[in-house]
């Protein structure tokens, strides 16, 4: 990939053709520790601000996407304030992805467990390898939680089964249930995710930014308020140069040229 890139030891960012490829890179299982959480926040904050990025793809290096939090990095119960600090950065890791100004596609190449499944849940669109495994195994290590993450992608029964038992599902099963957009072989996963990203990157960056913000907000609203909110967004977008260019290009049957204004 010819790209303007920024590299860290544990999270890398490569950019080409308005698509950012963000790779978790903490072998062997890309377990989340404080350094990786901080790096994820930093990278997605940069993705939000960079004009050369319109969409991001999040994946994992090696055989795992992210097999959860690093248990060796758990807070020291004897240290005052340790759990508050740990929980805050954990929440903000997901929020950095969820609130990213650009759409984020999860390309889940391997295990996505616990906090790793939470990273996927924070993304906008889900693709996965057919043999990738998904679970919330907190119960297996004497912990509990993850319901808020699971609720965004699973139904009530599956959510509770996964929380109460550590039950795991494959990418093929998630696709069968209509939870993910596509399941592929591991070899085809990243190229397919990049094709999805290219489709989004081809649209007006302003329109995509409005759509991402709108999608996040309407998730939290009653339908009546949500539609009013979207109508107001449509009015604001309609007044931009990009919206005028999109309409003109559609009528003239040509590819639009967007300027981000």
């Amino acid at each position: 990939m010819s790209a303007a890139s920024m590299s860290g030891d544990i999270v890398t960012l490569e950019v080409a053709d308005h698509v950012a490829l963000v790779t978790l890179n903490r072998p062997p299982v890309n377990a989340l520790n404080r350094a990786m959480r901080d790096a994820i926040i930093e990278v997605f904050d940069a993705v939000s601000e960079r004009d050369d990025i319109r969409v991001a793809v999040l994946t994992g290096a090696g055989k795992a996407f992210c097999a959860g939090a690093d248990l060796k990095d758990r807070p020291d119960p004897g240290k005052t304030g340790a759990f508050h600090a740990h929980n805050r950065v954990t929440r903000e890791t997901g929020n950095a992805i969820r609130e990213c100004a650009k759409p984020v596609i999860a390309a889940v190449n391997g295990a996505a467990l616990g906090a790793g499944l939470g990273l996927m849940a924070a993304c906008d669109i889900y693709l996965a390898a057919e043999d990738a495994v998904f679970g919330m195994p907190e119960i297996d290590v004497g912990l509990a939680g993850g319901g808020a993450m699971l609720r965004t992608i699973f139904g009530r029964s599956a959510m509770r089964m996964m929380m109460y038992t550590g039950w795991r599902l494959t990418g093929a099963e998630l696709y069968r249930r209509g939870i993910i957009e596509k399941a592929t072989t591991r070899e085809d996963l990243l190229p397919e995710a990049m094709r999805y990203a290219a489709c989004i990157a081809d649209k007006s960056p302003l329109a995509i930014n409005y759509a991402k913000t709108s999608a996040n907000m309407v998730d939290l609203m009653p339908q009546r308020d949500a539609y009013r909110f979207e109508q107001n967004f449509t009015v604001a977008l309609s007044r931009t140069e990009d919206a005028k260019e999109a309409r003109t290009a559609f009528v003239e049957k040509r590819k639009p040229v967007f300027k981000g204004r």
Side-chain angles (χ1 to χ4, degrees):
M1 173 184 285
S2 63
S5 65
M6 119 185 195
S7 244
D9 291 335
I10 52 179
V11 178
T12 63
L13 170 64
E14 300 173 90
V15 182
D17 301 322
H18 303 294
V19 176
L21 176 61
V22 181
T23 306
L24 308 176
N25 184 34
R26 188 175 180 238
V29 294
N30 300 322
L32 282 164
N33 62 358
R34 176 61 188 261
M36 177 173 263
R37 289 187 174 101
D38 287 344
I40 290 170
I41 292 168
E42 180 182 2
V43 165
F44 277 98
D45 284 350
V47 168
S48 284
E49 290 196 9
R50 285 179 54 166
D51 291 337
D52 59 330
I53 298 173
R54 297 180 183 176
V55 58
V57 173
L58 174 64
T59 195
K63 295 182 178 180
F65 177 74
C66 175
D70 188 342
L71 291 179
K72 297 175 184 176
D73 202 45
R74 294 289 298 169
D76 177 0
K79 184 178 179 182
T80 303
F83 274 103
H84 290 287
H86 176 270
N87 291 344
R88 186 179 303 111
V89 74
T90 299
R91 289 194 301 271
E92 288 310 309
T93 305
N95 288 340
I97 299 171
R98 187 177 296 106
E99 297 170 6
C100 180
K102 318 296 169 60
V104 183
I105 299 170
V108 184
N109 52 306
L113 304 174
L117 183 53
L119 292 183
M120 169 188 156
C123 297
D124 296 281
I125 297 168
Y126 315 134
L127 282 72
E130 295 163 330
D131 60 349
V133 293
F134 302 80
M136 190 62 68
E138 265 76 350
I139 198 76
D140 295 336
V141 290
L143 301 174
M149 300 173 186
L150 295 177
R151 188 177 59 192
T152 64
I153 48 181
F154 296 101
R156 176 185 172 91
S157 177
M159 176 191 86
R160 290 168 188 253
M161 271 294 292
M162 294 173 85
M163 285 183 65
Y164 299 162
T165 68
W167 190 36
R168 299 185 184 189
L169 299 172
T170 65
E173 177 65 13
L174 263 58
Y175 180 69
R176 187 187 72 79
R177 291 172 179 237
I179 291 170
I180 64 175
E181 195 66 26
K182 194 161 189 176
T184 73
T185 64
R186 292 197 184 208
E187 293 74 21
D188 290 340
L189 176 64
L190 192 54
E192 191 67 12
M194 298 304 280
R195 282 192 284 273
Y196 274 64
C199 180
I200 295 172
D202 202 36
K203 307 301 180 185
S204 160
L206 281 178
I208 292 298
N209 179 267
Y210 275 56
K212 172 68 185 277
T213 304
S214 178
N216 279 355
M217 291 300 296
V218 300
D219 274 349
L220 308 173
M221 294 180 177
Q223 184 170 341
R224 180 174 178 272
D225 295 336
Y227 191 52
R228 181 181 291 111
F229 177 85
E230 290 184 290
Q231 285 179 314
N232 290 336
F233 250 35
T234 298
V235 170
L237 181 60
S238 296
R239 291 172 175 159
T240 65
E241 291 182 27
D242 274 5
K244 181 179 179 181
E245 167 64 9
R247 292 190 294 269
T248 302
F250 183 81
V251 171
E252 296 177 354
K253 296 181 171 56
R254 61 173 174 81
K255 186 178 175 66
V257 179
F258 296 120
K259 299 178 181 178
R261 298 198 297 266

